[in-house]
């Protein structure tokens, strides 16, 4: 509600500075309406957030509530207790930064800890499904000079590929990312880690993810996703233990990569709850050593968190991860907030002046 009101206020402000000056009669009405919007915005950002509705969540109820001791560590412990390493996600040769960043965010939100990233090829390879180009971004010599637009596209693909690992490393700090330059190297590591490899495929030989007949799921599963345009490479399709397909019932036979990944991961978890079982305590301890220092916001907190790690006196996790309403306020740039506050202050002063003049005239 606060975000919607803020957006409405910003829209009105933009119109007010670009519209012709209003007449005196319409000006008073506009100022009154604007002041009312200002009061409504103020209520939404303060009183309505601080006052609890009926059935409020109280400390000790298992929910995240403001002001709790070690609140951030309790959130981290809640995440750790629900993290799984039985299900891993593999993203193969996706050059679209936004697509695989969205997949990383989705995987983290669903509790998947391990994600394997296979970088796009910079040069043509035996299993390469991309249009051939060389490492400088020039089109292959057998391409005609009239394909200038394609040459530019190839060059852009190369630049995206070069930035692939850099973006991946900063896309999500709460999951374990493993980067590979080839599909072969990634599959070798997956086998070493004990995963059975399944790959999503739109072909008619792929098995649909359905309840009946029941599917036989392994103890550890790596689900692979290819590019949006061509899907998984022929090499990955040939080496995977199984090809799977998410049944669709519309004319569209494919989805955006991040949407497909979210639906497939959720469906696998529904069909096989065993794959959502929490990771081992040793894995959780390793993540605590990485997470706790990054959660500290002061030297005092850093020392306190280090002591908790050393003594293994971890705080109690929450029963529910949903944040308190107080921590869900809409966000706006500071300069926008300042301009709006100043504008509303001026409108209130003008409204008060108009009211005084009206009383004198009466």
């Amino acid at each position: 509600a606060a975000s919607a009101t803020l957006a409405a206020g910003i829209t009105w402000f933009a119109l007010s500075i670009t519209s012709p000056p209003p007449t005196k009669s319409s000006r008073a009405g506009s100022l009154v309406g604007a002041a009312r919007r200002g009061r409504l915005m103020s209520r939404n950002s303060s009183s309505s957030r601080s006052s609890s509705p009926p059935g409020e969540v109280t400390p000790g109820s298992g929910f995240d509530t403001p002001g709790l001791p070690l609140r951030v560590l309790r959130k981290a412990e809640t995440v750790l207790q629900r993290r799984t390493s039985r299900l891993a996600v593999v993203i193969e040769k996706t050059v679209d930064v936004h697509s695989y960043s969205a997949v990383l965010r989705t995987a983290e939100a669903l509790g998947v800890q391990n994600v394997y990233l296979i970088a796009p090829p910079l040069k043509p390879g035996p299993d390469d499904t991309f249009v051939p180009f060389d490492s400088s971004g020039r089109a292959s010599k057998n391409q005609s000079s009239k394909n200038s637009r394609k040459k530019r596209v190839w060059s852009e693909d190369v630049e995206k590929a070069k930035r692939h690992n850099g973006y991946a490393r900063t896309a999500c700090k709460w999951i374990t990312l493993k980067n590979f330059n080839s599909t072969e190297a990634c599959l070798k590591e997956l086998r070493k880690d004990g995963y059975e490899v399944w790959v999503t495929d739109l072909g008619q030989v792929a098995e649909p993810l359905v309840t009946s007949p029941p599917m036989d799921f392994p103890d550890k599963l790596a689900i692979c996703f290819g590019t949006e345009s061509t899907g998984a490479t022929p090499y990955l399709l040939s080496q995977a233990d199984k090809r799977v397909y998410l049944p669709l019932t519309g004319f569209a036979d494919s989805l955006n990569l991040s949407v497909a990944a979210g639906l497939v991961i959720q469906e696998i978890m529904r069909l096989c709850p065993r794959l959502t079982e929490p990771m081992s305590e040793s894995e959780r301890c390793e993540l605590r050593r990485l997470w706790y220092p990054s959660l500290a916001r002061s030297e005092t907190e850093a020392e306190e968190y280090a002591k908790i790690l050393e003594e293994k006196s971890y705080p109690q996790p929450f029963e529910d991860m949903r944040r308190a309403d107080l921590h869900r306020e809409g966000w706006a740039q500071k300069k926008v907030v300042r301009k709006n506050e100043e504008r509303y202050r001026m409108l209130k002063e003008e409204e008060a002046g108009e009211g005084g003049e009206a009383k004198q005239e009466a």
Side-chain angles (χ1 to χ4, degrees):
S3 300
T5 307
L6 177 60
I10 294 173
T11 302
W12 178 88
F13 176 68
L15 292 174
S16 68
I17 62 176
T18 56
S19 303
T23 62
K24 185 173 182 179
S25 59
S26 63
R27 183 168 171 268
S30 299
L31 291 173
V32 171
R36 287 175 179 172
R37 283 191 289 273
R39 289 194 294 270
L40 178 60
M41 177 183 172
S42 177
R43 287 199 301 269
N44 284 340
S45 61
S46 57
S47 60
S48 66
R49 289 295 184 182
S50 59
S51 60
S52 300
E56 67 174 292
V57 174
T58 57
S61 61
F63 281 88
D64 173 17
T65 53
L68 288 178
L70 299 176
R71 172 181 162 271
V72 175
L73 291 191
R74 291 187 65 182
K75 287 176 69 71
E77 287 298 319
T78 308
V79 173
L80 286 171
Q81 297 301 323
R82 304 178 185 185
R83 272 289 199 267
T84 183
S85 58
R86 289 180 175 270
L87 178 63
V89 170
V90 181
I91 310 172
E92 186 194 34
K93 302 185 177 182
T94 298
V95 296
D96 191 303
V97 173
H98 300 290
S99 289
Y100 69 72
S101 294
V103 175
L104 296 181
R105 182 179 176 87
T106 300
E108 194 279 332
L110 293 175
V112 175
Q113 182 60 37
N114 298 323
V115 178
Y116 296 69
L117 297 174
I118 304 172
L122 293 179
K123 294 182 180 180
D127 64 328
D128 183 16
T129 58
F130 284 72
V131 179
F133 54 80
D134 62 28
S135 58
S136 65
R138 295 189 296 268
S140 300
K141 293 182 179 180
N142 60 351
Q143 300 292 332
S144 63
S145 58
K146 65 181 181 180
N147 292 332
S148 58
R149 180 176 176 273
K150 291 185 178 180
K151 290 181 182 180
R152 185 178 69 254
V153 172
W154 289 330
S155 179
E156 291 173 355
D157 286 344
V158 172
E159 291 305 314
K160 287 183 179 180
K162 290 179 179 178
R163 297 195 304 267
H164 181 276
N165 289 340
Y167 278 111
R169 282 193 295 269
T170 58
C172 191
K173 63 180 180 179
W174 306 116
I175 58 180
T176 303
L177 297 176
K178 297 184 179 182
N179 292 278
F180 302 89
N181 291 325
S182 68
T183 304
E184 296 92 328
C186 180
L187 290 177
K188 183 177 180 179
E189 185 70 15
L190 287 170
R191 306 294 188 192
K192 178 182 175 182
D193 293 341
Y195 287 103
E196 184 171 309
V197 179
W198 292 10
V199 59
T200 56
D201 180 31
L202 296 177
Q204 295 180 350
V205 298
E207 297 184 27
L209 291 168
V210 292
T211 306
S212 180
M215 302 187 70
D216 185 19
F217 286 89
D219 290 334
K220 296 185 70 174
L221 172 63
I223 183 67
C224 305
F225 302 93
T227 65
E228 292 175 319
S229 57
T230 60
T233 59
Y235 181 81
L236 179 56
L237 291 172
S238 65
Q239 296 298 312
D241 299 298
K242 184 178 293 188
R243 303 185 190 184
V244 294
Y245 163 73
L246 181 68
L248 300 175
T249 56
F251 286 106
D253 64 350
S254 63
L255 300 170
N256 173 273
L257 177 61
S258 60
V259 174
L263 291 173
V264 169
I265 295 171
Q266 182 67 31
E267 185 65 8
I268 288 176
M269 289 180 168
R270 186 186 71 84
L271 293 174
C272 184
R274 185 177 74 256
L275 291 174
T276 65
E277 292 179 359
M279 60 177 57
S280 65
E281 181 59 26
S282 62
E283 291 175 301
R284 284 197 289 266
C285 287
E286 182 63 29
L287 291 178
R288 288 188 185 102
R289 284 193 288 269
L290 297 174
W291 291 4
Y292 274 33
S294 67
L295 292 171
R297 292 295 178 265
S298 66
E299 291 184 5
T300 302
E301 285 188 353
E303 294 175 358
E304 182 181 12
Y305 295 177
K307 184 178 180 181
I308 292 174
L309 278 174
E310 182 180 357
E311 297 177 352
K312 297 184 178 181
S313 55
Y314 313 124
Q316 187 73 17
F318 293 118
E319 295 178 8
D320 196 297
M321 277 292 292
R322 284 173 289 178
R323 289 180 291 173
D325 288 346
L326 185 63
H327 297 154
R328 292 188 176 276
E329 292 190 15
W331 180 89
Q333 292 182 350
K334 291 182 179 179
K335 63 179 181 180
V336 174
V337 174
R338 286 196 298 268
K339 287 182 179 179
N340 282 337
E341 290 176 348
E342 178 65 18
R343 183 63 177 172
Y344 286 130
R345 184 186 64 77
M346 294 172 58
L347 289 172
K348 288 180 180 180
E349 291 177 356
E350 293 179 6
E351 179 189 17
E354 290 288 337
E357 292 178 3
K359 288 182 180 179
Q360 293 178 0
E361 293 177 359

